[in-house]
């Protein structure tokens, strides 16, 4: 199978791998008609991660959702403007069924009645205004009904600190959020979420605070007109929050200073938080403060301060899991600082328990083993990819070899170490400190020897005091063609691993592992592969072939 991979490798991949050594050697209205079509591809929303800082509170608003929808529903406070379309119906002695646009002077024209001024009339009062004008001409037997069919299409300038300033189309009743979203949203690094200004004919008509919308669900209902300008002001003073907070963001604030109580209302420290750390930058000087959370409300924060909510708590108890041949509780709650002897005192071993092969598995050890294995794999990949080639044929051979090495390292990175703390003699290891999350494994006594790795028939064989390592290997079919018969590992039940000889007599419960050969012509790569094979065998009891 390995030879087949070598002979059928993709030429393009081989060419790329062959060139790698050379490369590395170099340096709101009523029933409204849809708004004018938005751009087919909305401007991508800004992502806080792109700026290399804490997410800015409010930047999650603009992801394209507002840009896709116009504001629907009946808006009673909407003011009728030129260009709005109004449906008119008269019945009785005089009939009329028509839809008219409000003319530039703000009037509707009704036959036999004349112009009716509706500009500036509230949507909720439109029907009453028209009915009053009809009643002045027709005293009886004529009834009327008027309703706004569609708000006026408008084009609005969006400028300031947005991602893509420009002129955007919509309806006069559309929310300010839609126009901001069409422009890609507010630039979180430079724009303000507290001061979005509506300018009309150069004059300030409204200022929108988007924090009110985010925190309270309120936003000022504005009626936009053709040629209005939405101006996003520069970002104001801000404080960055990190650590034990539900909203670990950068927050804007008005005024010269922000009270700590106001910041905590925005950041929402988690229940476990105990202190607030403040880092202040004053010119070349950097100062740090540390306040208990109960006193943090009175702290005044300045622009540029960095706040971190921390949880200063000492562990009071440890949770230790017991697995295997144990008849008591599977999870022990022990005081902080407990030792292995404290857990053994509460152990209720089953009749077949083998206390001499006690195993202690620890998450911190597994994490460290994973890191060490990753470093070894990084070195191996660097050795395989940075070799120089004198000829094109040699480059192709190195490329095929590097491909196999990369496949091997990819599988090796998926190995999860067990994190076993070796206890050669558990009876003398009672003073070993325990850590939270430790797992104590009590194996059962065994009468077999497992043989696996590069053998023809991996199996478990009944233990016989007269059999030696070579005998067990022969019963398992003998080593395979890829086996390195000079490297047979004896894995003891307590986690000890030794390189053994053929005349050694295994004990009951031992495992024999035959490692594969490192088939490569480069000495440094072969040495790196051998090192990785040993590490995997020790930390995971797995024989991984190339």
């Amino acid at each position: 199978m390995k030879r087949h991979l070598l002979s059928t490798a993709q030429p393009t991949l081989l060419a790329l791998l062959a060139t790698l050594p050379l490369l590395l050697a170099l340096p709101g209205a009523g029933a409204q008609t849809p708004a004018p079509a938005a751009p087919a591809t909305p401007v991508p929303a800004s992502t806080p991660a792109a700026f290399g800082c804490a997410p800015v509170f409010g930047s999650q608003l603009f992801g394209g959702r507002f840009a896709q929808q116009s504001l629907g529903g009946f808006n009673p406070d909407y003011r009728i403007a030129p260009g709005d379309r109004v449906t008119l119906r008269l019945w009785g002695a005089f009939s009329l069924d028509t839809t008219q646009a409000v003319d530039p002077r703000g009037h509707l024209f009704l036959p036999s009645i004349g112009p009716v001024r509706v500009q500036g009339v509230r949507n909720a009062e439109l029907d009453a205004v028209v009915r009053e004008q009809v009643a002045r001409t027709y005293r009886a037997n004529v009834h009327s009904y008027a309703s706004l069919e569609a708000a006026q299409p408008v084009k609005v300038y969006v400028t300031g600190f947005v991602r893509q300033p420009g002129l955007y189309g919509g309806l006069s009743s559309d929310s300010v959020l839609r126009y901001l979203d069409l422009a890609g949203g507010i630039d979180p690094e430079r724009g303000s979420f507290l001061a979005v200004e509506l300018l009309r004919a150069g004059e300030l008509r409204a200022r929108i605070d988007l924090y009110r919308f985010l925190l309270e669900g309120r936003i000022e209902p504005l009626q936009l007109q053709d040629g209005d300008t939405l101006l996003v002001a520069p970002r104001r003073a801000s404080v960055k929050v990190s650590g034990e907070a539900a909203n670990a963001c950068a927050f804007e604030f008005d005024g010269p200073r922000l009270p700590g109580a106001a910041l905590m209302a925005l950041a929402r420290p988690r229940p476990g938080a105990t202190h607030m750390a403040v880092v202040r930058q004053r010119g070349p000087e950097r100062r740090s403060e540390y306040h208990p959370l109960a006193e943090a409300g009175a702290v005044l924060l300045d622009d540029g301060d960095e706040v971190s909510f921390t949880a200063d708590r000492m562990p009071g108890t440890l949770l230790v899991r017991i697995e295997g041949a144990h008849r008591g509780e599977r999870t022990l709650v022990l005081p902080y600082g407990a030792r292995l002897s404290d857990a053994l005192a509460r152990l209720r071993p089953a009749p077949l328990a083998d206390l001499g092969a006690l195993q202690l598995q620890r998450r911190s050890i597994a994490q460290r083993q994973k890191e060490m294995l990753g470093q070894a794999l990084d070195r191996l990949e660097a050795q395989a990819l940075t070799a120089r080639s004198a000829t094109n044929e040699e480059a192709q051979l190195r490329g095929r070899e590097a491909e196999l090495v990369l496949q091997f390292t990819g599988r090796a990175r998926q190995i999860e170490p067990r994190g076993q703390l070796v206890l050669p003699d558990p009876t003398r290891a009672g003073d070993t400190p325990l850590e939270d999350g430790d797992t104590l494994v009590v194996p059962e006594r065994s009468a077999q020897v497992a043989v696996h790795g590069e053998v023809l028939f991996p199996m478990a064989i009944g233990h016989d005091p007269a059999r030696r390592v070579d005998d067990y290997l022969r019963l398992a079919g003998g080593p395979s063609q890829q086996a390195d018969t000079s490297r047979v590992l004896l894995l003891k039940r307590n986690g000890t691993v030794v390189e053994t000889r053929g005349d050694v007599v295994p004990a009951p419960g031992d495992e024999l592992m035959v490692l594969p050969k490192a088939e490569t012509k480069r000495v440094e790569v072969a040495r790196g592969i051998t090192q990785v094979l040993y590490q995997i065998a020790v930390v995971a009891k797995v024989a991984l072939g190339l």
Side-chain angles (χ1 to χ4, degrees):
M1 182 64 182
K2 298 176 178 62
R3 294 187 179 88
H4 180 68
L5 286 174
L6 280 171
S7 61
T8 59
Q10 296 293 332
T12 54
L13 178 59
L14 295 178
L16 174 62
L17 291 171
T19 58
L20 276 174
L22 299 177
L23 293 174
L24 291 172
L26 297 174
Q32 299 174 347
T33 58
T41 304
V43 179
S46 55
T47 56
F51 297 93
C53 63
V56 176
F57 187 69
S59 58
Q60 70 273 25
L61 264 177
F62 303 109
R65 296 296 184 182
F66 290 111
Q68 296 173 6
Q69 299 292 334
S70 287
L71 184 62
F74 178 77
N75 183 0
D77 295 323
Y78 178 78
R79 301 279 178 174
I80 308 300
D84 290 347
R85 297 179 61 81
V86 177
T87 299
L88 297 168
R89 292 184 176 88
L90 278 71
W91 68 93
F94 178 78
S95 298
L96 177 67
D97 190 348
T98 184
T99 299
Q100 292 187 18
V102 179
D103 65 25
R105 295 188 176 183
H107 294 83
L108 297 171
F109 188 83
L110 279 66
S112 303
I113 298 176
V116 179
R117 182 169 181 80
V118 294
Q119 181 177 356
V121 174
R122 293 177 65 247
N123 193 8
E125 301 168 355
L126 174 62
D127 183 54
V129 170
V130 173
R131 188 165 56 248
E132 180 183 354
Q133 293 296 323
V134 171
R136 291 180 181 179
T137 303
Y138 299 100
R139 299 293 182 178
N141 298 328
V142 175
H143 307 279
S144 67
Y145 176 77
S147 66
L148 182 63
E149 181 184 79
Q152 177 187 12
V154 296
K155 291 186 180 295
V156 176
Y157 293 99
V158 185
T159 185
F161 294 96
V162 292
R163 296 195 64 223
Q164 187 166 327
L167 181 64
Y168 296 93
L171 297 175
S172 58
S173 58
D174 279 340
S175 168
V176 168
L177 295 172
R178 181 172 187 271
Y179 289 98
L180 292 173
D181 207 7
L182 286 171
I186 297 174
D187 185 339
E189 188 70 3
R190 302 180 301 147
S192 173
F193 289 83
L194 299 181
V196 179
E197 299 176 351
L198 172 62
L199 305 178
R200 184 168 297 159
E203 297 183 1
L204 178 64
R205 291 300 182 94
R207 180 177 285 111
I208 301 99
D209 181 354
L210 295 183
Y211 275 19
R212 291 186 63 198
F213 175 71
L214 281 167
L215 299 172
E216 304 172 16
R218 294 188 294 169
I219 189 169
E220 294 79 355
L222 299 175
Q223 184 172 329
L224 301 175
Q225 294 184 10
D226 207 35
D228 281 354
T229 298
L230 290 174
L231 176 65
V232 177
R235 182 174 172 178
R236 301 189 173 186
S238 63
V239 172
K240 289 183 181 180
V241 176
S242 60
E244 295 291 323
N247 297 326
C249 308
F251 294 93
E252 278 188 87
F253 62 91
D254 280 319
R257 311 190 85 182
L258 176 67
L263 178 66
M264 287 192 290
L266 294 171
R268 297 177 56 197
R270 299 188 187 279
T274 59
H275 289 76
M276 183 177 78
V278 182
V279 177
R280 305 181 188 270
Q281 189 74 37
R282 298 294 178 267
E285 184 180 3
R286 186 178 177 90
R287 299 175 53 192
S288 299
E289 301 174 5
Y290 203 59
H291 305 277
L293 211 59
E295 304 173 5
V299 177
L300 296 178
L301 303 168
D302 298 316
D303 183 24
D305 287 352
E306 298 179 8
V307 175
S308 177
F309 291 98
T310 60
D312 290 351
R313 51 182 182 270
M314 292 295 294
T317 58
L318 304 174
L319 289 181
V320 177
R321 179 75 179 169
I322 299 182
E323 297 180 356
H326 169 63
R327 289 184 169 183
E329 298 176 332
R330 292 289 173 173
T331 300
L332 303 181
V333 180
L334 301 173
Y336 181 74
R339 301 181 179 274
L340 180 60
S341 57
D342 300 321
L344 294 178
R346 298 175 59 177
L347 191 66
R348 296 180 57 191
L352 295 179
D354 185 2
L355 296 180
L358 201 65
Q359 302 172 10
L360 181 60
Q361 297 176 1
R362 180 164 291 174
R363 287 180 296 190
S364 60
I365 296 178
Q367 181 179 359
R368 180 55 181 161
Q369 289 175 338
K370 186 77 171 179
E371 293 174 355
M372 295 173 63
L373 178 60
Q375 294 171 3
L377 293 172
D378 290 340
R379 290 193 297 269
L380 178 59
E381 289 178 352
Q383 293 168 354
L385 294 174
T386 57
R388 298 178 180 273
S389 302
T391 64
N392 184 48
E393 291 76 10
E394 185 181 357
Q396 292 180 355
L397 180 62
R398 293 285 172 84
R400 289 194 292 269
E401 182 181 85
E403 180 186 3
L404 288 176
V405 171
L406 291 177
Q407 292 177 3
F408 169 76
T409 57
R411 289 183 292 131
R413 292 185 190 278
Q414 299 176 8
I415 298 294
E416 293 298 332
R418 298 182 306 159
Q420 182 173 349
L421 176 63
V422 177
L423 303 173
D425 187 358
T427 59
R428 299 183 179 180
D431 289 337
T432 303
L434 295 175
E435 293 184 7
D436 188 41
D438 281 353
T439 299
L440 196 61
V441 181
V442 184
E444 293 185 348
R445 289 195 296 271
S446 175
Q448 63 187 25
V449 174
V451 183
H452 54 94
E454 291 295 336
V455 292
L456 293 181
F457 308 107
M459 62 177 63
I461 303 171
H463 179 262
D464 186 343
R467 291 189 181 128
R468 303 173 184 273
V469 169
D470 287 342
D471 299 326
Y472 286 104
L473 295 181
R474 185 170 56 256
L475 291 173
S480 66
Q481 292 183 353
Q482 291 78 32
D484 185 356
T485 54
S486 65
R487 301 186 184 280
V488 179
L489 300 184
L490 179 64
L491 283 66
K492 310 296 289 186
R493 303 194 76 189
N494 61 3
T496 305
V497 180
V498 295
E499 194 170 315
T500 187
R501 304 184 308 275
D503 58 351
V504 174
V505 178
D510 285 352
E511 298 181 35
L512 294 174
M513 179 184 296
V514 182
L515 295 182
K517 293 179 182 177
E519 295 182 348
T520 176
K521 297 185 180 303
R522 298 174 56 197
V523 176
E524 64 274 12
V525 174
R527 187 183 301 114
I529 294 175
T530 302
Q531 178 188 0
V532 170
L533 292 175
Y534 268 100
Q535 283 188 250
I536 294 175
V538 171
V539 304
K541 291 190 176 181
V542 174
L544 187 64
L546 181 62

